[in-house]
Amino acid sequence: TIEVELMNNNLGLKNFLGVAGMDINSISGKFTIVGTTPAAIGVSLSGTLPNFLREMGVNPGTQFTTAIEFGTTGLTLGMSVGSQADGSADIFNIQNMLSARYLAFSYSTTGSTIGGVDYPEGFAIAFDGKFGGVPVVVNGVVSFLPLDINIDFSIGAFSLGGFEFEETLGTFVR
């Protein structure tokens, strides 16, 4: 098996396709050959979300990455928005009841790495945000053949009905 991936991390396409604020900062292209046969092709783009999403409460300048790979080796689709880095801005904040600084979703039939991002086999989800001001982080993967569930979570300290709850960390595995 031969995999070749070409990346440009300084693309600098401002207002891509004429959409204000939608900047494409990096692109990667990947192809895989198994034996002498082309087996898969993949593309990944990273940049900032367009300004018109501000009307839906999305913070202007929010980072995104999207990827697709398909071929005889399987299918991978992935999308992430925001950043988990300390101090990163929220993607959205709905009246301090629900906010998120990072969201990611992917589906992969075999697992893949595209543009330096690992996409695990199965359905994957990641969330880093707050519910009612309480920090919540969830990272999980669900695979179906065989059924395999692995979800890690953390919930910050909070009080409810006069009770104080400390930070909770957990894992759900099947």
Side-chain angles (χ1 to χ4, degrees):
T1 300
I2 299 172
E3 282 188 359
V4 177
E5 186 165 15
L6 303 173
M7 299 175 74
N8 182 341
N9 291 324
N10 294 311
L11 199 56
L13 293 175
K14 302 289 185 191
N15 299 322
F16 185 63
L17 299 174
V19 180
M22 185 169 174
D23 301 340
I24 304 299
N25 303 326
S26 68
I27 187 171
S28 70
K30 173 184 172 183
F31 64 91
T32 304
I33 299 172
V34 176
T36 59
T37 307
I41 187 167
V43 176
S44 174
L45 295 173
S46 294
T48 57
L49 293 175
N51 293 343
F52 72 82
L53 293 177
R54 180 180 341 188
E55 301 300 322
M56 297 181 343
V58 175
N59 190 9
T62 296
Q63 297 291 313
F64 79 91
T65 298
T66 187
I68 183 170
E69 182 178 59
F70 57 91
T72 60
T73 58
L75 171 68
T76 299
L77 302 167
M79 176 89 180
S80 67
V81 180
S83 172
Q84 287 183 295
D86 288 338
S88 60
D90 287 339
I91 302 164
F92 63 85
N93 187 334
I94 302 171
Q95 298 183 356
N96 292 323
M97 287 304 300
L98 174 63
S99 64
R101 66 179 186 166
Y102 183 73
L103 295 167
F105 307 93
S106 69
Y107 169 74
S108 182
T109 56
T110 59
S112 184
T113 300
I114 310 167
V117 177
D118 292 327
Y119 298 96
E121 181 179 343
F123 289 96
I125 185 170
F127 173 83
D128 187 342
K130 294 180 180 179
F131 287 103
V134 177
V136 175
V137 178
V138 177
N139 291 298
V141 178
V142 177
S143 300
F144 293 105
L145 295 172
L147 181 61
D148 183 32
I149 301 171
N150 190 334
I151 301 171
D152 296 320
F153 63 90
S154 70
I155 301 170
F158 65 97
S159 60
L160 180 65
F163 293 100
E164 298 290 326
F165 296 90
E166 294 182 6
E167 180 180 18
T168 302
L169 304 174
T171 299
F172 178 77
V173 178
R174 181 194 184 290

